Amino acid sequence: MDRSRTPVRVRRTSRSRRTGLLASLAAALTAAFAGAPPAQAATPPPAAVSCPAELDGKATCYTGQDADGAYYAIAVPERWNGSLVVHAHGGPDLGTGSDPARSVDDLARWSVMVKEGYAWAGSSYRRGGYGTRMAAADTENLRRLFVANFGKPRRTYVHGQSWGGDVAAKVVEVYGRRGGPYDGALLTSGVLGGGSRGYDYRVDLRVVYQYYCHNMPRPTEPQYPLWQGLRADSTLTTAGLRARLQECTGYASAPQERTALQQRNLDDILAVTGVPERTLESHLRFAVFTFRDIVHDRLGDRDPFSNEGVWYSGSHDDKALNAGVERFAADPTAVRDLSYDSDLTGKVSIPVLTMHAIDDPTAFVEHEAAYRATLRGAGRDRYLVQTFTHESEHSSLSDAEYADSIAALDGWVRTGKKPTPRTIADSCAAFDRIYATGCFYDPDFHPASYASRVRPRPGGLSWPAMTAAQEKRWSRIAGVGIAP
């Protein structure tokens, strides 16, 4: 690989919004696939399209669809530094097919990487719904597609945000061997506890909510076990979920407008689960609709969740709550398949830098403690640097911090000198002079254990949740995991 070539100049493109980009994509794909279904047609090369407004005059942008049906977007800066950032998006988004708008939106959202001189490539994944290994494979497929069409980059980094952090971490473990195609990873706001433990607080929310609210399902509706999230044939919509949450807790109303019962229900649910009030509805949506996807669509109606042995506390009557809350035990084969798909072994051989808001209301910062314990358990924590910021967001942190983070990772890879949280915090000011979005690092912060925030299940205190040896054994089982 040539690491000495000069930056590449790429022709400019005109200013355009996403609608124009998608129209160009649709036209290109229609022409490419005319007369044959996608599975039978040769994969067309990336089609040049107008860039999002954020990159007007700064890059050339491309879109397309890979051989597995995943839509993607690519941007190459006018003054390319020769390196590539492959992005793994969060979610998972629910739906049957690949969403062409997702990768285009992500390109606009992560335009800071392109502004910093990196080529950028993001996949929408071949379908919606859960599937960490599938999403990791689609991310790797896009990297290969980029190389086939634009040449081998000097260095390649994988970046994952939210659930995409788990996807990117899986990319590191499956494809990121030393001397392999990836040089480093940036994981931001990552759901790094994996699938078998990373959603336990939403399991708790699902059962605690039903204990107090009795409306999902209502007594007059067909009943189903709560580990299903929602029965497969339910027509409940997100608007319907919000209406039922409002009916029970008044969460969308000012406190003075809630009834006494609504306020007590809300107080108890929040106190017991530790879910922030401002993200209560989004967590409940996940525990209803995404759980249905995981259980029904991906695991064939097998239960991967358990709340046996969990003592719920913090309510106005813990004894009554624990006597009345629904209990269930997981199907071991479902736990195995979810774990194989999404849990992390810690088998890391390349530099990994993480960034997480201390007050992240969606993926609690304690996910980072789980990830460090995972790498430490595998004897690989020397490859890890973690940074934390005084922000209260999940979906998007400061652009100056993202630019600082990719620069710190790149410097680590190029020089072999491992940064520290302090050096990364100190270098942020130079980027903030460009982006003016703030630097909020706390280099002295260390998150408490995952079990301090999420009630552990029996046997759930040791990390990694799936060892490399378990992964190897399970890999020999036909049909293990979650199908693409």
Side-chain angles (χ1 to χ4, degrees), residues 370-386:
Y371 191 57
R372 176 166 286 280
T374 295
L375 268 64
R376 183 178 293 124
R380 303 294 182 94
D381 54 322
R382 65 187 180 277
Y383 293 106
L384 179 65
V385 173
Q386 294 177 297

Side-chain angles (χ1 to χ4, degrees), residues 247-271:
E247 169 191 291
C248 175
T249 68
Y251 83 106
S253 300
Q256 64 271 19
E257 296 174 352
R258 297 169 187 152
T259 68
L261 180 58
Q262 284 177 327
Q263 188 64 59
R264 192 176 77 171
N265 287 341
L266 181 61
D267 289 343
D268 280 343
I269 291 169
L270 297 179

Side-chain angles (χ1 to χ4, degrees), residues 252-305:
S253 300
Q256 64 271 19
E257 296 174 352
R258 297 169 187 152
T259 68
L261 180 58
Q262 284 177 327
Q263 188 64 59
R264 192 176 77 171
N265 287 341
L266 181 61
D267 289 343
D268 280 343
I269 291 169
L270 297 179
V272 173
T273 64
V275 170
E277 183 174 347
R278 62 195 169 104
T279 52
L280 173 61
E281 186 257 332
S282 65
H283 282 291
L284 187 60
R285 273 193 284 113
F286 194 104
V288 172
F289 298 110
T290 306
F291 276 15
R292 177 171 65 175
D293 173 82
I294 292 172
V295 169
H296 178 69
D297 296 328
R298 312 304 160 200
L299 296 175
D301 294 311
R302 291 173 295 146
D303 174 19
F305 304 123

Side-chain angles (χ1 to χ4, degrees), residues 2 17 25 39 49-50 81 85 106 110 131 162 187 200 211 228 254 257 261 277 288 349 352 379 390 395 434:
D2 179 13
R17 295 293 179 181
L25 168 60
V49 294
S50 298
N81 64 15
V85 172
D106 286 342
W110 304 108
S162 188
L187 313 179
D200 281 346
Y211 172 79
Q228 291 183 352
E257 296 174 352
L261 180 58
E277 183 174 347
V288 172
S349 303
V352 177
H390 283 292
S395 296
I434 300 171

Side-chain angles (χ1 to χ4, degrees), residues 358 387-390 421-422 425 440-446:
I358 295 170
T387 63
F388 302 94
T389 70
H390 283 292
R422 177 70 62 183
F440 307 100
Y441 291 104
D442 182 346
D444 297 317
F445 178 81
H446 299 281

Side-chain angles (χ1 to χ4, degrees), residues 1 18 37 65 88 109 114 127 157 251 271 332 335 346 389 400 420 423-424 459:
M1 177 167 57
R18 187 188 75 182
Q65 190 175 26
R109 182 177 167 197
V114 184
R127 63 158 171 79
Y157 303 111
Y251 83 106
V335 175
T389 70
T420 68
T423 62
I424 294 172

